[in-house]
Amino acid sequence: MDSDLPLDLNIENLPHHVAVIMDGNGRWATKQKLPRIAGHRQGAKTLKELLRCSKNWGIKILTAYAFSTENWRRPNEEVDFLMILFEKMLRHELEEMHRQGVKINFVGDLSALPKSLQNEIHRSMLETSNNQDIQFNVAVNYGSRKEIVNACRQIAELVQKGEINLEDINENLIEQNLYTADIPAPDLLIRTSGEKRLSNFLLWQMAYTEMYFTDILWPDFDRAAFHNALLSYQNRERRFGKVKAVLSA
Ligand code: FPP
C-alpha cells in the first residue's frame, strides 16, 4: 500500500472507524459571499479527499452524516440540491470508488428518499459489496432516536410472534436491529465548525467513542486538519470504564 501516513502518527493506534459530522458548509459559503449550496458542493469535495486520505492511511471504516431526519426542515431548494448532489456524487464517483476498493453503504430510512436516488444507492451498494479496502457509510435521512425506536419495534414483533423470549433481549440483539448492524462502533467522532453536540447521530453506537471538536468549517477540513484530529486521538487513554493500568513496581 502506498501509505503516506505522517511520521508522527502511530500506525498501531489508528482508529479503526472514524465518524464525521460535516458541519459549517453554509457558514463557509456565506463567508465567501456565495450561496449556501456552494458550501455543500465544496463539502462534498472535502469528503472525497477525506475518504482517499483515510484509505491511504489505513483507516478501515469512515461514516459521514450527510442528511439528518431533521434536515427536511431546511428550505426546499436546499433539500432538493442536496438530494441531487448525493445522486450526482454516486453517478460520477462510483467507478472510481469501486476501483479504489471502497465498499459503499448507506444508513438511515432510505424509503423516504427520491426514487432515483434510492436506485443509485442500491446499485452502488450492490456493485461495491465485495470491496475490502475501506467501508464508507453515508448516513442519509438518519436519526438515532428513530433508529432505536425502529429496533424496539422489530424486537417487539419477534416477541409478539413468539420467536424470542423477553430474556433474549440484550445489547447484542439491539445492535443487530440498528441500521449499523455488523458495523463496529466508531472509535473517533470528528465534528467541525465549533458546535459541540451529537445532533441525534449514532447515540447508541458512540457510548465509548472519543470526541474531537474543531472550529474549522467542514469545507476547509483538509488533510492537515485530519492529521491533527488523529494526533489528538492518539494522545488519549481509552479505558472503557476500567481504571488506568497500574504499572507494577
Ligand atoms: C452541514 O452544514 C452540512 C450538511 C447538512 C450537508 C452535508 C452534505 C455534504 C457535505 C455533501 C456531501 C455528501 C455526500 C455524501 C455526497 P450546514 O449546512 O449545517 O452548515 P451551517 O451550520 O454553516 O449552516
Side-chain angles (χ1 to χ4, degrees), residues 111-122:
S111 67
L113 302 175
K115 207 77 216 140
S116 56
L117 176 56
Q118 287 187 45
N119 292 342
E120 288 301 321
I121 286 176
H122 290 126

Side-chain angles (χ1 to χ4, degrees), residues 21-30 36 39-47 64-68 71 74 78 82 85-87 89-90 106 136 138-140 191 193 195 197 217-218:
I21 301 181
M22 310 180 285
D23 202 2
N25 291 345
R27 274 163 285 167
W28 180 90
T30 306
R36 289 177 55 82
H40 296 316
R41 204 178 282 127
Q42 192 59 36
K45 288 190 185 148
T46 299
L47 181 59
Y65 201 7
F67 194 88
S68 74
N71 284 153
R74 293 187 172 211
E78 187 171 339
L82 282 168
L85 180 66
F86 300 149
E87 203 174 316
M89 278 283 280
L90 282 178
F106 280 78
F136 177 40
V138 185
V140 181
R191 181 170 190 155
S193 92
E195 310 293 350
R197 337 176 248 281
L217 302 176
W218 176 254

